[in-house]
Amino acid sequence: MTTHAQQSKTISVAAQVGQLAHLSMRDIWALWDEHFDERPQHHHRTWLESRLAYKIQEKAFGSLKPTTRRKLEEIGETGLLPKSMQGDADRLLPGTMLTRFYDDQEHKVVVRGVRDFEYRGQRFKSLSAIARLIAGCPWSGPAFFGLKSNKKEAA
């Protein structure tokens, strides 16, 4: 039987990550044991796959710099982008999905390109147009979807 480590020499990183969803739980746990010293308390498959995908990529490409890790942890804790990164939020990559819960409904927007967003099968040129449609009143689209802090909230 070939181990995952032996297979990984011949299979691309993308293929390794892509095959995770198709592995049996037995194989997921075997792969987990190759990469981690102990098993987690829970057995949520999606979570396990995401950790394994990170480890596979980390092994191939290296880990995050400590400064980058700290920035990401701070963003995760506060939900706010540092000022130096807020301009980058306006340049979302195609395929990015933005999600917002509003009036007990989940609203999802897919970024198709520069000034090209899709919401419920319709195309829009701005996030603000989508936010206005959802909320029924004028909103900053980036603020509505959490890409920028609302100055009223910051005060």
Side-chain angles (χ1 to χ4, degrees):
M1 178 176 210
T2 312
T3 68
H4 181 74
Q6 292 168 326
Q7 286 179 334
S8 66
K9 291 179 183 175
T10 59
I11 300 175
S12 73
V13 172
Q16 290 177 61
V17 171
Q19 77 181 17
L20 290 173
H22 305 289
L23 295 176
S24 68
M25 279 307 291
R26 190 175 122 220
D27 290 338
I28 289 285
W29 284 120
L31 187 56
W32 184 274
D33 293 338
E34 286 180 34
H35 289 285
F36 297 95
D37 294 332
E38 58 186 56
R39 291 184 177 187
Q41 294 293 324
H42 59 82
H43 301 115
H44 190 269
R45 182 178 178 111
T46 304
W47 186 87
L48 295 171
E49 288 176 14
S50 70
R51 301 287 91 66
L52 286 167
Y54 182 87
K55 278 294 189 184
I56 291 166
Q57 293 172 83
E58 182 181 52
K59 185 175 181 180
F61 306 120
S63 63
L64 293 173
K65 295 177 190 173
T67 55
T68 303
R69 183 179 298 277
R70 278 194 298 277
K71 277 185 186 176
L72 290 172
E73 287 171 353
E74 184 178 320
I75 292 167
E77 289 170 7
T78 65
L80 299 174
L81 289 174
K83 288 198 183 293
S84 63
M85 296 174 70
Q86 288 180 357
D88 294 336
D90 293 332
R91 294 182 289 276
L92 298 168
L93 295 174
T96 300
M97 181 171 293
L98 305 171
T99 303
R100 165 75 194 259
F101 283 91
Y102 187 82
D103 279 344
D104 295 327
Q105 287 187 12
E106 183 178 33
H107 300 275
K108 293 182 178 185
V109 173
V110 177
V111 178
R112 295 290 178 203
V114 177
R115 291 185 295 280
D116 186 8
F117 305 93
E118 183 176 333
Y119 172 68
R120 293 188 175 169
Q122 285 187 284
R123 300 296 269 271
F124 294 84
K125 291 184 179 181
S126 74
L127 286 174
S128 296
I130 299 169
R132 187 171 30 258
L133 177 69
I134 294 169
C137 61
W139 260 90
S140 159
F144 184 83
F145 287 100
L147 301 173
K148 291 184 177 180
S149 65
N150 191 341
K151 291 187 180 189
K152 291 178 185 174
E153 292 173 7

PDB file of all heavy atoms in Angstrom, residues 134-146:
ATOM      1  N   ILE A 134     -31.213  45.290  -0.771  1.00  0.00           N
ATOM      2  CA  ILE A 134     -31.457  44.439   0.393  1.00  0.00           C
ATOM      3  C   ILE A 134     -32.061  45.238   1.544  1.00  0.00           C
ATOM      4  O   ILE A 134     -33.051  44.826   2.152  1.00  0.00           O
ATOM      5  CB  ILE A 134     -30.155  43.752   0.846  1.00  0.00           C
ATOM      6  CG1 ILE A 134     -29.675  42.758  -0.225  1.00  0.00           C
ATOM      7  CG2 ILE A 134     -30.343  43.047   2.194  1.00  0.00           C
ATOM      8  CD1 ILE A 134     -28.274  42.233   0.009  1.00  0.00           C
ATOM      9  N   ALA A 135     -31.457  46.388   1.858  1.00  0.00           N
ATOM     10  CA  ALA A 135     -31.859  47.165   3.032  1.00  0.00           C
ATOM     11  C   ALA A 135     -33.047  48.084   2.764  1.00  0.00           C
ATOM     12  O   ALA A 135     -33.724  48.509   3.700  1.00  0.00           O
ATOM     13  CB  ALA A 135     -30.677  47.989   3.535  1.00  0.00           C
ATOM     14  N   GLY A 136     -33.266  48.430   1.496  1.00  0.00           N
ATOM     15  CA  GLY A 136     -34.372  49.322   1.170  1.00  0.00           C
ATOM     16  C   GLY A 136     -34.055  50.789   1.411  1.00  0.00           C
ATOM     17  O   GLY A 136     -34.957  51.624   1.398  1.00  0.00           O
ATOM     18  N   CYS A 137     -32.795  51.096   1.652  1.00  0.00           N
ATOM     19  CA  CYS A 137     -32.362  52.473   1.855  1.00  0.00           C
ATOM     20  C   CYS A 137     -30.885  52.579   1.475  1.00  0.00           C
ATOM     21  O   CYS A 137     -30.212  51.563   1.352  1.00  0.00           O
ATOM     22  CB  CYS A 137     -32.578  52.917   3.302  1.00  0.00           C
ATOM     23  SG  CYS A 137     -31.659  51.949   4.500  1.00  0.00           S
ATOM     24  N   PRO A 138     -30.397  53.797   1.263  1.00  0.00           N
ATOM     25  CA  PRO A 138     -28.991  53.944   0.853  1.00  0.00           C
ATOM     26  C   PRO A 138     -28.016  53.371   1.882  1.00  0.00           C
ATOM     27  O   PRO A 138     -28.172  53.574   3.080  1.00  0.00           O
ATOM     28  CB  PRO A 138     -28.813  55.455   0.727  1.00  0.00           C
ATOM     29  CG  PRO A 138     -30.186  55.997   0.543  1.00  0.00           C
ATOM     30  CD  PRO A 138     -31.093  55.079   1.314  1.00  0.00           C
ATOM     31  N   TRP A 139     -27.045  52.631   1.391  1.00  0.00           N
ATOM     32  CA  TRP A 139     -25.990  52.033   2.213  1.00  0.00           C
ATOM     33  C   TRP A 139     -24.695  52.063   1.426  1.00  0.00           C
ATOM     34  O   TRP A 139     -24.696  51.908   0.210  1.00  0.00           O
ATOM     35  CB  TRP A 139     -26.296  50.554   2.477  1.00  0.00           C
ATOM     36  CG  TRP A 139     -26.886  50.222   3.801  1.00  0.00           C
ATOM     37  CD1 TRP A 139     -28.210  50.172   4.101  1.00  0.00           C
ATOM     38  CD2 TRP A 139     -26.194  49.837   4.990  1.00  0.00           C
ATOM     39  NE1 TRP A 139     -28.389  49.779   5.402  1.00  0.00           N
ATOM     40  CE2 TRP A 139     -27.153  49.564   5.974  1.00  0.00           C
ATOM     41  CE3 TRP A 139     -24.856  49.688   5.318  1.00  0.00           C
ATOM     42  CZ2 TRP A 139     -26.825  49.170   7.257  1.00  0.00           C
ATOM     43  CZ3 TRP A 139     -24.531  49.281   6.596  1.00  0.00           C
ATOM     44  CH2 TRP A 139     -25.507  49.035   7.554  1.00  0.00           C
ATOM     45  N   SER A 140     -23.580  52.165   2.093  1.00  0.00           N
ATOM     46  CA  SER A 140     -22.285  51.925   1.468  1.00  0.00           C
ATOM     47  C   SER A 140     -22.166  50.411   1.317  1.00  0.00           C
ATOM     48  O   SER A 140     -22.215  49.687   2.312  1.00  0.00           O
ATOM     49  CB  SER A 140     -21.153  52.454   2.353  1.00  0.00           C
ATOM     50  OG  SER A 140     -19.936  51.827   2.013  1.00  0.00           O
ATOM     51  N   GLY A 141     -22.027  49.941   0.100  1.00  0.00           N
ATOM     52  CA  GLY A 141     -21.912  48.503  -0.129  1.00  0.00           C
ATOM     53  C   GLY A 141     -20.748  47.873   0.614  1.00  0.00           C
ATOM     54  O   GLY A 141     -20.914  46.862   1.301  1.00  0.00           O
ATOM     55  N   PRO A 142     -19.523  48.473   0.520  1.00  0.00           N
ATOM     56  CA  PRO A 142     -18.403  47.896   1.265  1.00  0.00           C
ATOM     57  C   PRO A 142     -18.651  47.866   2.772  1.00  0.00           C
ATOM     58  O   PRO A 142     -18.291  46.900   3.438  1.00  0.00           O
ATOM     59  CB  PRO A 142     -17.234  48.820   0.895  1.00  0.00           C
ATOM     60  CG  PRO A 142     -17.589  49.305  -0.482  1.00  0.00           C
ATOM     61  CD  PRO A 142     -19.092  49.490  -0.432  1.00  0.00           C
ATOM     62  N   ALA A 143     -19.295  48.881   3.314  1.00  0.00           N
ATOM     63  CA  ALA A 143     -19.600  48.882   4.750  1.00  0.00           C
ATOM     64  C   ALA A 143     -20.671  47.834   5.066  1.00  0.00           C
ATOM     65  O   ALA A 143     -20.567  47.098   6.047  1.00  0.00           O
ATOM     66  CB  ALA A 143     -20.060  50.258   5.207  1.00  0.00           C
ATOM     67  N   PHE A 144     -21.685  47.745   4.221  1.00  0.00           N
ATOM     68  CA  PHE A 144     -22.775  46.785   4.431  1.00  0.00           C
ATOM     69  C   PHE A 144     -22.247  45.358   4.482  1.00  0.00           C
ATOM     70  O   PHE A 144     -22.684  44.553   5.292  1.00  0.00           O
ATOM     71  CB  PHE A 144     -23.811  46.928   3.305  1.00  0.00           C
ATOM     72  CG  PHE A 144     -25.033  46.057   3.482  1.00  0.00           C
ATOM     73  CD1 PHE A 144     -26.085  46.461   4.279  1.00  0.00           C
ATOM     74  CD2 PHE A 144     -25.137  44.840   2.825  1.00  0.00           C
ATOM     75  CE1 PHE A 144     -27.219  45.669   4.432  1.00  0.00           C
ATOM     76  CE2 PHE A 144     -26.266  44.038   2.970  1.00  0.00           C
ATOM     77  CZ  PHE A 144     -27.302  44.458   3.778  1.00  0.00           C
ATOM     78  N   PHE A 145     -21.287  45.040   3.611  1.00  0.00           N
ATOM     79  CA  PHE A 145     -20.741  43.682   3.553  1.00  0.00           C
ATOM     80  C   PHE A 145     -19.498  43.499   4.412  1.00  0.00           C
ATOM     81  O   PHE A 145     -18.800  42.489   4.306  1.00  0.00           O
ATOM     82  CB  PHE A 145     -20.480  43.272   2.101  1.00  0.00           C
ATOM     83  CG  PHE A 145     -21.747  42.985   1.352  1.00  0.00           C
ATOM     84  CD1 PHE A 145     -22.296  43.928   0.512  1.00  0.00           C
ATOM     85  CD2 PHE A 145     -22.412  41.785   1.522  1.00  0.00           C
ATOM     86  CE1 PHE A 145     -23.480  43.680  -0.162  1.00  0.00           C
ATOM     87  CE2 PHE A 145     -23.597  41.522   0.856  1.00  0.00           C
ATOM     88  CZ  PHE A 145     -24.128  42.471   0.011  1.00  0.00           C
ATOM     89  N   GLY A 146     -19.206  44.473   5.285  1.00  0.00           N
ATOM     90  CA  GLY A 146     -18.129  44.318   6.257  1.00  0.00           C
ATOM     91  C   GLY A 146     -16.732  44.535   5.714  1.00  0.00           C
ATOM     92  O   GLY A 146     -15.752  44.157   6.358  1.00  0.00           O
TER      93      GLY A 146
END
